[in-house]
């Protein structure tokens, strides 16, 4: 599967952005899909994920209640709606997919085999 992330940009604190991860080459509904982010000088961190079976969603504590992950099987996309953004959300955001993850592994980025190219999100006034 190939992944293409889009939707990043510059937004003011308190604003919203919607990122999209478009898949090609396979059906994204059969994959666990995660969003991760990496700020300058920091390690890549988990943001949100869907496990491949069903629609259980997982979030990091830092984004829970502000971000929402959704999957559209007809469009073959997984989106990340980001609300109430703060400067601490500034990072390059990546989507990733894997077809063999177990549920307990969806938060760990090295477990994912397929990655999109990343999209920059900058939250600044």
């Amino acid at each position: 599967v190939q992944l293409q992330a889009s939707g990043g940009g510059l937004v003011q604190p308190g604003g919203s952005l919607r990122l999209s991860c478009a898949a090609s080459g396979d059906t994204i509904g059969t994959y666990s899909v995660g969003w991760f982010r990496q700020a300058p000088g920091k390690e890549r961190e988990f943001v949100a994920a869907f496990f491949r079976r069903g629609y259980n969603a997982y979030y990091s504590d830092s984004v829970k209640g502000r971000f929402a992950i959704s999957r559209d099987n007809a469009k073959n996309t997984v989106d990340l709606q980001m609300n109430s953004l703060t400067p601490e959300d500034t990072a390059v955001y990546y989507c990733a997919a894997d077809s063999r993850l177990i549920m307990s592994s969806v938060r760990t980025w090295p477990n994912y085999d397929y990655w999109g190219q990343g999209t920059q999100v900058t939250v600044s006034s």
Side-chain angles (χ1 to χ4, degrees), residues 18-19 22 40 45 49-50 99 117 119 123:
R18 188 175 184 89
L19 306 183
E45 65 172 356
F50 266 128
S99 61
Q117 84 287 5
T119 185
V123 185

Side-chain angles (χ1 to χ4, degrees), residues 3 7 19 29 36 44 53 62 76 81 112:
L3 305 175
L19 306 183
F36 297 84
R44 190 168 299 188
R53 297 176 182 172
S62 62
N76 218 25
Q81 177 66 41
Y112 287 78

Side-chain angles (χ1 to χ4, degrees), residues 18 36 47 60 102:
R18 188 175 184 89
F36 297 84
V47 176
S60 68
I102 59 176

Side-chain angles (χ1 to χ4, degrees), residues 73-118:
N73 289 335
K75 295 182 179 179
N76 218 25
T77 59
V78 172
D79 290 355
L80 184 69
Q81 177 66 41
M82 306 187 297
N83 300 323
S84 302
L85 286 162
T86 74
E88 289 68 38
D89 296 313
T90 295
V92 177
Y93 284 69
Y94 300 90
C95 61
D98 196 279
S99 61
R100 299 173 295 175
L101 286 180
I102 59 176
M103 191 180 298
S104 60
S105 298
V106 297
R107 298 172 183 265
T108 308
W109 70 264
N111 293 328
Y112 287 78
D113 281 345
Y114 304 100
W115 289 83
Q117 84 287 5

Side-chain angles (χ1 to χ4, degrees), residues 24-47:
S24 59
D26 206 345
T27 303
I28 203 168
T30 63
Y31 289 75
S32 295
V33 179
W35 283 96
F36 297 84
R37 66 187 182 186
Q38 189 165 18
K42 295 187 177 181
E43 294 188 356
R44 190 168 299 188
E45 65 172 356
F46 169 74
V47 176

